[in-house]
Amino acid sequence: MQQLIYFFQKFKHFLFFLLLQLIALTLTFNNLNFHKSKYVNSANAITGGMYNQVSSISDYFDLKKTNTALLEDNTRLRNLLQQKTAMSFASDSIVIDTVKYHQKYTFSNAKIINNNYVNAFNFLTIDKGRNDGLEKEMAVVNGKGVIGITDNASSNYTRVQSILNKNSRLNARLKNGYFGTLKWNGLDYNVVQLTDIPRQAPVKIGDTIETGGKSTIFPEGILIGTVIEINNDNAVDNAINVKLFNDMSNIGPVYVIKNLEKKEIQFLENPINE
Amino acid sequence: MNKTIYFGLLFVFLVFLQVFVLNNMLFLGYVNPYLYIIFVFLYPLKKSRFTFLLLSFLLGLSIDFFSDSGGIHAFSILTIAYLRLFFIKVFFRKYEIDYPFFSLNLEPFGKSFNYVVTLTVIHHFILFSLINFSFQNISHVILNTLYSSVFTLVLYFLSVYIFSKKQ
């Protein structure tokens, strides 16, 4: 017993050090799992509030750019609207039928108050939270393309796992329908990798990549980027380098997309409680 | 000034400096200085190290909270906080008796330079290994360690030069 007390006396600093290191390592490992890091993240009231304060100042310097981006987004949407009306003129009358009307997604707006893009596991913070109806696993996009997936929501702030995160997996497809998985290798924040595309798929440099809609998170057809490099060697994953439309180092206002049918789909896919 | 208040203010100042200023530097697109480790250099030496270790851990953890990195900063700053006494023994040949009189500014520049550089490089290497979190891109980790260490050290020695009182 005396030996034991002597041992603790002698190594008390080292044991304390080990204990703290263990806590730090546990937090690190938890952080790498999707929505497992409940406590240490920037979406809590203190850090979120401070980031909000700082970004409300720095936003003034980006107002011009933000305005241009919103204008571009509006132009694109107005053009889409024109196409829609042109198509409905093809039939001689419009039938308004509430049974056929079926909304699948709702969009809400938010603002990025903290942006990371140089690490291998990047996260963003946005200024809306559970009070605004946000929860985990919702899509975050802007006018130019995808940004990430919500991860942890506090009452007023939400953490977003950026697509520039080595853990991110996204269903993406070529415009001609061949689909694969979008990942990031942690190197260049402008370039992501599209993997698992079938070898027979005709891919050319300059092809557009968009979301595939084969998940409950992202709607179909949201822009991602263009192909800039095709690997012709026999790698297993057949990775294609894709340059993002978004400049991830400079993003401000975003849209958060909620899938209204998510619960129904998940219930069908995982028939538990049997 | 009272020592406790001084180090309390230093703690808060370093967190804000790191999170709101230095984390947004991104020199050449990705190089950041990590100046908050000067807490380890400035905190006075004592025989009982519990407060010091705990404060270093909390400093790292506060920065982790802001930068969404789990416990990476806490882990790396705690390591150099624990190793500090060993390197003081190696570089300055100071033992427990000398602790109350020890000050980095009073030591010869060559010795304190070695001490600061060693701890900074150890900290940055652990930090970038954990940020990368795989054995791929080792060259990336080493390059980042090199660039960031130089950046941090330049800032540290500049600030020491500016803030040191000339007798």
Side-chain angles (χ1 to χ4, degrees):
Chain A
M1 192 62 199
Q2 205 180 354
Q3 289 286 327
L4 198 68
I5 292 171
Y6 178 69
F7 174 80
F8 280 124
Q9 276 291 328
K10 197 177 175 193
F11 291 104
K12 59 184 178 190
H13 290 122
F14 183 66
L15 290 173
F16 186 61
F17 165 71
L18 274 191
L19 175 78
L20 292 181
Q21 289 291 60
L22 205 69
I23 297 172
L25 267 190
T26 321
L27 291 172
T28 309
F29 286 124
N30 270 350
N31 192 48
L32 296 176
N33 285 340
F34 191 51
H35 60 72
K36 211 178 167 188
S37 60
K38 284 210 177 72
Y39 307 107
V40 181
N41 63 56
S42 62
N44 60 51
I46 300 168
T47 56
M50 281 181 185
Y51 272 132
N52 206 6
Q53 289 293 327
V54 172
S55 91
S56 66
I57 298 166
S58 58
D59 275 354
Y60 280 102
F61 302 109
D62 286 335
L63 276 181
K64 242 180 189 169
K65 252 180 226 161
T66 316
N67 266 333
T68 326
L70 286 176
L71 208 60
E72 280 169 10
D73 201 20
N74 262 336
T75 317
R76 196 175 60 86
L77 292 176
R78 275 174 190 274
N79 280 332
L80 276 178
L81 214 62
Q82 283 301 318
Q83 284 173 18
K84 202 86 178 170
T85 38
M87 269 192 285
S88 61
F89 278 139
S91 54
D92 60 343
S93 60
I94 303 167
V95 185
I96 297 171
D97 190 347
T98 47
V99 176
K100 281 180 186 165
Y101 179 72
H102 186 65
Q103 186 177 8
K104 202 175 163 192
Y105 298 101
T106 55
F107 287 66
S108 55
N109 65 312
K111 197 179 74 188
I112 287 182
I113 54 173
N114 170 36
N115 184 9
N116 287 312
Y117 52 90
V118 287
N119 300 332
F121 298 89
N122 294 304
F123 294 95
L124 320 167
T125 319
I126 56 177
D127 67 341
K128 295 277 170 73
R130 275 200 308 274
N131 289 353
D132 309 282
L134 267 63
E135 50 197 49
K136 65 184 187 194
E137 290 179 17
M138 286 162 72
V140 180
V141 303
N142 71 1
K144 287 182 179 171
V146 295
I147 286 173
I149 300 169
T150 59
D151 172 9
N152 260 306
S154 71
S155 41
N156 288 314
Y157 303 98
T158 308
R159 184 166 89 153
V160 179
Q161 180 179 291
S162 164
I163 43 168
L164 302 181
N165 186 316
K166 275 181 164 179
N167 286 334
S168 280
R169 298 285 181 271
L170 220 75
N171 180 271
R173 69 174 183 206
L174 295 160
K175 282 258 182 179
N176 57 19
Y178 288 102
F179 65 90
T181 311
L182 198 75
K183 296 175 187 168
W184 187 52
N185 61 7
L187 294 178
D188 185 354
Y189 65 79
N190 279 317
V191 180
V192 294
Q193 281 71 36
L194 181 63
T195 58
D196 306 331
I197 283 275
R199 273 170 204 286
Q200 69 272 22
V203 190
K204 287 193 194 70
I205 287 174
D207 280 359
T208 308
I209 307 292
E210 55 183 21
T211 55
K214 286 184 177 52
S215 75
T216 51
I217 299 173
F218 279 98
E220 219 175 315
I222 287 179
L223 298 173
I224 296 173
T226 51
V227 176
I228 54 163
E229 194 187 346
I230 302 164
N231 288 333
N232 289 322
D233 52 340
N234 283 322
V236 179
D237 56 356
N238 196 21
I240 296 167
N241 280 341
V242 177
K243 188 176 189 307
L244 292 170
F245 288 127
N246 260 324
D247 179 6
M248 289 299 281
S249 64
N250 188 3
I251 35 180
V254 292
Y255 305 109
V256 184
I257 306 175
K258 184 179 188 179
N259 189 344
L260 299 172
E261 294 174 349
K262 186 172 162 187
K263 273 197 181 134
E264 197 178 332
I265 295 171
Q266 279 177 348
F267 181 74
L268 269 177
E269 286 176 350
N270 314 311
I272 37 162
N273 311 330
E274 281 182 38
Chain B
M1 205 186 343
N2 189 343
K3 282 276 175 198
T4 326
I5 300 174
Y6 173 71
F7 283 103
L9 285 178
L10 182 73
F11 185 98
V12 177
F13 171 72
L14 285 178
V15 171
F16 287 163
L17 180 75
Q18 183 62 45
V19 170
F20 293 120
V21 182
L22 300 183
N23 272 358
N24 297 318
M25 282 223 168
L26 301 174
F27 182 62
L28 297 177
Y30 60 95
V31 184
N32 265 341
Y34 294 93
L35 202 64
Y36 66 93
I37 54 169
I38 63 168
F39 186 79
V40 175
F41 306 144
L42 295 179
Y43 201 83
L45 297 180
K46 274 179 201 145
K47 193 158 177 284
S48 170
R49 286 181 280 164
F50 288 116
T51 344
F52 171 58
L53 287 178
L54 191 66
L55 278 177
S56 309
F57 176 75
L58 288 179
L59 177 64
L61 198 65
S62 328
I63 287 159
D64 281 323
F65 264 104
F66 279 100
S67 47
D68 279 312
S69 45
I72 290 172
H73 289 283
F75 187 91
S76 32
I77 196 177
L78 193 62
T79 314
I80 60 163
Y82 185 76
L83 291 177
R84 182 175 79 153
L85 280 189
F86 171 74
F87 283 110
I88 278 174
K89 216 185 282 175
V90 170
F91 287 122
F92 302 108
R93 312 215 172 283
K94 300 282 182 189
Y95 300 95
E96 276 173 23
I97 289 178
D98 309 310
Y99 287 168
F101 312 107
F102 181 81
S103 164
L104 211 55
N105 294 332
L106 302 177
E107 295 298 322
F109 180 75
K111 283 180 180 178
S112 56
F113 181 80
N114 285 348
Y115 167 72
V116 169
V117 169
T118 316
L119 284 189
T120 310
V121 170
I122 292 175
H123 171 270
H124 283 38
F125 182 69
I126 297 174
L127 182 71
F128 284 112
S129 313
L130 282 175
I131 284 179
N132 191 41
F133 211 75
S134 82
F135 292 110
Q136 294 171 336
N137 313 333
I138 286 282
S139 58
H140 206 66
V141 172
I142 292 168
L143 271 183
N144 258 331
T145 308
L146 202 69
Y147 293 153
S148 272
S149 301
V150 171
F151 203 168
T152 309
L153 289 167
V154 166
L155 277 186
Y156 171 71
F157 286 114
L158 272 182
S159 53
V160 165
Y161 179 73
I162 291 167
F163 291 113
S164 65
K165 292 171 197 135
K166 289 280 179 296
Q167 260 86 28

